[in-house]
Amino acid sequence: MGIRKPVNLPRMFNGQEYVAFRTQQFLATGRDTSRNNTAFFSPEQWANIDAGRFTDWPSLLLKNGLQMNHNISASGGDEKTQFSFGAGILSEEGNVSPEDFKRYSFRGNIDRQINEKWKAGMSFYAAQNLQNLGSYESLRSAYRMPPTVSPYDSNGERVFRVLGGDGVINPLFDQENDIRQNRSIRAFGQLYIQVKPTAHLTLKTTFSPSIN
């Protein structure tokens, strides 16, 4: 069991730093920085600024991901027969929901000494992989959002477009509705028959099917 933690993340402006930066940017280009200029900040943004209510957008999406790997096995036999079986599950959560990866696996082998000359056996392995890729846009959009806008309206409902006419969708909507998944199954095995007609000669034939 382990934790996947986001590291080496870019440092973004906090709310006050962003307001100061945008103010200097507008002043340097001779643009109006009064509250009448909605291109500077909208009335909703001014309300957030006055209340000191800023949004750390990346932190709304980023999280620590849990990693787990569990296996169970059994083996046994007698003088002529040996066997072993095992099953496992691998689970890894991504740092942005709903990203995750799961693998379910099953394996086994059996060997049988039929008599002094003949021997036969089989082995197999099968696995199913389930991968949720999540949204390609949610985290990127979160880093593009200014801290002066909120993902929620005054009623606590999520806003679809937090910048009004801007084309950027609220990353929380992308996170939940932009779903991409990969699923795959892989299985292979081997059957063999072995004969030893003399002390110095061994013949073996195998059949190895696979599915992918």
Side-chain angles (χ1 to χ4, degrees):
M1 183 176 292
I3 296 292
R4 181 196 299 269
K5 185 177 181 179
V7 296
N8 299 322
L9 300 176
R11 182 190 176 279
M12 308 300 290
F13 283 150
N14 62 33
Q16 293 178 342
E17 291 171 333
Y18 175 76
V19 172
F21 167 79
R22 190 166 178 80
T23 300
Q24 291 300 318
Q25 180 187 45
F26 269 60
L27 290 175
T29 55
R31 301 171 68 185
D32 182 15
T33 58
S34 71
R35 300 196 176 208
N36 295 323
N37 182 12
T38 57
F40 180 44
F41 289 116
S42 68
E44 293 79 8
Q45 288 177 289
W46 277 116
N48 290 333
I49 294 169
D50 292 339
R53 187 172 54 243
F54 301 110
T55 302
D56 182 358
W57 283 93
S59 69
L60 295 180
L61 277 73
L62 289 169
K63 65 181 182 64
N64 293 334
L66 182 63
Q67 299 174 308
M68 296 187 295
N69 189 10
H70 302 292
N71 294 280
I72 185 172
S73 62
S75 61
D78 54 27
E79 293 180 355
K80 292 187 176 183
T81 304
Q82 292 80 43
F83 69 86
S84 66
F85 296 98
I89 177 172
L90 170 67
S91 176
E92 296 184 356
E93 294 180 348
N95 295 123
V96 178
S97 294
E99 296 174 3
D100 64 16
F101 176 82
K102 290 184 175 66
R103 175 184 293 142
Y104 304 94
S105 61
F106 186 61
R107 63 190 183 279
N109 66 273
I110 301 174
D111 295 291
R112 172 70 175 178
Q113 187 72 47
I114 301 172
N115 55 38
E116 293 182 357
K117 293 183 178 182
W118 290 90
K119 184 178 181 180
M122 63 170 291
S123 62
F124 63 88
Y125 174 83
Q128 181 183 42
N129 296 326
L130 307 174
Q131 183 179 24
N132 288 313
L133 299 174
S135 170
Y136 292 163
E137 286 293 330
S138 59
L139 186 59
R140 179 165 59 178
S141 295
Y143 275 107
R144 290 157 53 187
M145 288 293 182
T148 51
V149 295
S150 172
Y152 305 101
D153 61 20
S154 58
N155 296 320
E157 301 292 333
R158 282 178 297 182
V159 180
F160 186 68
R161 297 191 187 276
V162 295
L163 288 174
D166 190 277
V168 180
I169 297 173
N170 187 334
L172 298 182
F173 279 99
D174 278 324
Q175 182 183 30
E176 292 185 358
N177 298 284
D178 189 2
I179 305 300
R180 293 175 173 86
Q181 295 180 329
N182 285 335
R183 299 189 177 200
S184 64
I185 295 176
R186 184 186 182 196
F188 57 88
Q190 183 182 81
L191 302 172
Y192 77 90
I193 298 177
Q194 179 178 299
V195 60
K196 191 172 184 180
T198 68
H200 304 290
L201 177 63
T202 300
L203 303 175
K204 184 177 183 179
T205 182
T206 62
F207 173 61
S208 302
S210 64
I211 300 174
N212 193 357

